[in-house]
Amino acid sequence: NSMRGISIEIRAASLTYYILKEVGIATTIKRHEKITKVNKKDISKQAKKIATVLGKPWIFSQINLDGLVEHIGYQLSCKDTKFLGKVKKLAEQIQTILLQRGEIFTSAYLAATFYLVNIFERKHYTQIELAKAIGTTEVSLRTNVKKILNMYGVESNRILYYTLDDFMLGVKIR
């Protein structure tokens, strides 16, 4: 009854989005909108209704970091599994810190994480490439890099002196 009057396209897009999230397949609402050609607001609203009716409203607060990092690596044509592993490692740590603060790990935080590991590992991905692959803006990427550096108590002009391990282990988290 909660979907009475809703078009078949919106129902189908919402249900498939819910199913993908429930089984842990990495996807974003923007990507699903692009594939289904259904407005993301409609997908989101109806998928949340589905989750609530099925008694699983927490489904959309979970993020599949491994799957997202793998997908973005594919988007960047990155075959360096060590690099992607380091992105996952830092992303998990940042997500844990954010959860403790009651904040959400967004795609902009993921872009910032990729960018920081990119710097630590001396890779050559640009902010534009990373933002485009992840589906955010360069401004959001830079803003979230600043937030992460602030969380770790690191000044941006000192970042080149750190390795990823130094950054993750040797820095006091604020």
Side-chain angles (χ1 to χ4, degrees), residues 114-148:
F114 259 94
Y115 188 68
L116 287 169
V117 175
N118 178 55
I119 292 170
F120 296 135
E121 296 298 309
R122 310 296 191 254
K123 297 285 183 186
H124 301 289
Y125 295 109
T126 65
Q127 291 178 3
I128 295 170
E129 289 174 313
L130 293 171
K132 186 176 179 188
I134 294 166
T136 190
T137 65
E138 298 158 67
V139 174
S140 294
L141 182 153
R142 285 192 295 271
T143 301
N144 283 277
V145 165
K146 289 176 187 170
K147 288 180 183 178
I148 292 169

Side-chain angles (χ1 to χ4, degrees), residues 1-6 11 46 49 53:
N1 281 346
S2 65
M3 293 194 123
R4 183 174 287 157
I6 305 298
R11 290 180 191 197
Q46 297 307 319
K49 280 185 183 177
V53 167

